[in-house]
DNA sequence: GCGTGTGAACACATTCACAGCA
DNA sequence: TGCTGTGAATGTGTTCACACGC
């Protein structure tokens, strides 16, 4: 079974094949493996990798098994090899150009964030509507008007956008993003966006994450 | 069944009772309900609420049923009432003081983020180790040295911290946070933290989110 | 009629346990 | 012996379908 057929479609129009939960763990495995690789660790077993991340060994093996056979019995997995495989699966073995929509507080922080580049993402353009930032340069990028998005998308063959505008502006900005031909949005605005189902959407709501944390703390102390 | 017994412990030492997935949807419901409430919407049915968020009506009803009976047959749920109930469940009906650890790029953006206050969180202190920011004032808060954390925690009765330092500094910072008596960490550093199991931990890795988005886009286009 | 609350049925995800390979 | 890959068993979460209340 090759990687290509193993993912997504099975030709019959049915959906999943690879559970969503597995894919999200893939990113965690990748992060940990890169960490190990930097510490000169050549191979790792499913049990050790699992222990490091809080999963069982069986789960680690089964997760990888969705995509092929990457391990060596008696040895484990070769870190560098597995890193390449996971990147290939995620599609991040090649760099993705990205446009940032919204250059306020959060947008500027994201622009300065080194972690994106490290994982194969390159912010190549920034747009906004606010005259306060239009034309200014941040991290070497001049902020363009959002109306130029279709052109920018075409020029850089963009497929994904990071949306980091205030909640009130999010729906409009999302509309413009969709019209520009982009098919993936990482949304930081605390608003539920409705996108056609051929467009991918990931929502990150910082306040929601804090709420989840609060609940967990609250609960452990029996509500006090 | 009162709310208090319904959550967490059943006295036997067994764990879940309320699935984690349910709790994370609770935050989404809350956000949507607050949105509806602001648009003067008095009541909402499980089917409409579900449609707005992409869930089935049954799931919405079952989620709430974990915590009690909040709906009115033939009517639906009263928005304001449900908002209060969810806040009570999450523990955010009272404001949570929070300390920010790390005042770089990301930390400063989080400090300026209005969304936290809106959901009942108040950043009351900021600490760092970098001389470049120590003593400076951001959003009305003076940046203290991280060594002062135990004192700060006591003074404000803090229970949760937001960790926003570079990956290389994360483990040390986390140690100091744990020693200060804090029992909940929202970690933005792309590093797996190991914390005792009485401490709650939520990890937000921005690059991982982009990876997940990339995979989803990649997949939909059959890998091209 | 409309809409909740909920046991029962179903689908999905995780863990177990073992055959097989280095 | 150490460790992978995987069917079978278990466990968890979601959806169905219907009794009941407004």
């Amino acid at each position: 079974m090759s990687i290509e057929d193993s993912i997504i479609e099975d030709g019959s129009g049915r959906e999943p094949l690879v559970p969503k939960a597995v894919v999200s763990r893939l990113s965690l495995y990748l992060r940990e493996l890169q960490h190990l690789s930097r510490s000169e660790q050549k191979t790792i077993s499913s049990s050790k990798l699992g222990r490091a991340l809080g999963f069982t060994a069986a789960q680690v093996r089964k997760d990888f098994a969705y995509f092929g056979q990457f391990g060596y019995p008696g040895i484990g997995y070769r870190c560098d090899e597995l890193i390449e495989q996971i990147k290939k699966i995620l599609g991040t073995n090649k760099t993705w150009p990205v446009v940032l929509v919204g250059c306020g507080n959060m947008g500027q922080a994201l622009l300065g964030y080194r972690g994106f580049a490290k994982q194969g993402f390159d912010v190549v353009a920034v747009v906004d509507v606010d005259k306060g930032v239009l034309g200014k340069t941040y991290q070497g990028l001049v902020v363009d008007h959002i109306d130029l998005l279709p052109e920018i998308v075409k020029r850089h063959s963009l497929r994904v956008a990071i949306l980091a505008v205030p909640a009130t502006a999010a729906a409009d900005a999302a509309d413009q993003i969709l019209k520009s031909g982009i098919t993936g949005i990482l949304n930081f605005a605390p608003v539920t966006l409705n996108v056609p189902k051929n467009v991918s959407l990931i929502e990150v709501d910082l306040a929601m994450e804090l709420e989840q944390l609060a609940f967990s703390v609250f609960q452990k102390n029996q509500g006090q």
Side-chain angles (χ1 to χ4, degrees), chain A:
Chain A
M1 180 161 85
S2 81
I3 292 173
E4 282 68 29
D5 352 12
S6 73
I7 317 180
I8 328 182
E9 295 293 337
D10 62 355
S12 73
R14 276 180 288 110
E15 286 287 306
L17 284 208
V18 178
K20 217 179 139 189
V22 171
V23 180
S24 77
R25 284 194 295 270
L26 239 37
S27 283
L28 277 169
Y29 296 136
L30 177 57
R31 200 176 73 178
E32 187 65 24
L33 287 163
Q34 287 171 328
H35 182 71
L36 290 167
S37 178
R38 277 192 297 272
S39 2
E40 309 295 325
Q41 185 94 200
K42 294 300 176 206
T43 67
I44 183 131
S45 65
S46 59
S47 61
K48 282 188 187 140
L49 183 53
R51 187 143 0 103
L53 295 168
F55 309 138
T56 66
Q59 178 153 74
V60 173
R61 293 198 299 276
K62 185 140 275 199
D63 283 351
F64 294 144
Y66 278 101
F67 305 98
Q69 308 196 162
F70 307 136
Y72 301 87
I75 308 280
Y77 301 86
R78 301 200 203 288
C79 295
D80 292 348
E81 208 173 293
L82 192 47
I83 287 171
E84 286 315 306
Q85 290 289 358
I86 296 177
K87 280 188 181 174
K88 206 182 280 181
I89 294 164
L90 291 174
T92 57
N93 52 334
K94 304 207 166 78
T95 298
W96 287 65
V98 177
V99 58
L100 173 66
V101 178
C103 197
N105 246 338
M106 190 59 55
Q108 289 176 31
L110 293 172
L111 253 188
Y113 185 57
R114 300 312 189 109
F116 290 142
K118 213 172 285 174
Q119 296 305 318
F121 299 94
D122 184 16
V123 181
V124 297
V126 188
V127 300
D128 203 312
V129 292
D130 180 15
K131 284 179 180 160
V133 294
L134 286 173
K136 286 194 179 165
T137 301
Y138 296 94
Q139 303 286 330
L141 293 171
V142 177
V143 182
D144 280 323
H145 194 279
I146 196 172
D147 288 345
L148 298 178
L149 209 43
E151 196 180 315
I152 294 169
V153 168
K154 202 178 295 173
R155 182 162 69 243
H156 294 97
S157 302
L158 287 168
R159 302 160 81 184
V160 302
I162 300 175
L163 180 54
V165 300
T168 49
D172 286 346
D175 273 351
Q176 299 216 52
I177 290 173
L178 292 176
K179 282 188 191 131
S180 76
I182 275 183
T183 56
I185 300 178
L186 177 56
N187 175 35
F188 285 95
V191 175
T192 302
L193 297 181
N194 282 308
V195 301
K197 65 178 180 314
N198 63 314
V199 173
S200 303
L201 175 63
I202 296 216
E203 314 233 14
V204 179
D205 185 322
L206 304 177
M208 265 185 48
E209 303 293 348
L210 252 185
E211 267 175 14
Q212 296 292 308
L213 179 65
F215 174 78
S216 175
V217 169
F218 186 55
Q219 210 188 209
K220 280 184 180 149
N221 303 8
Q222 320 269 20
Q224 201 49 247

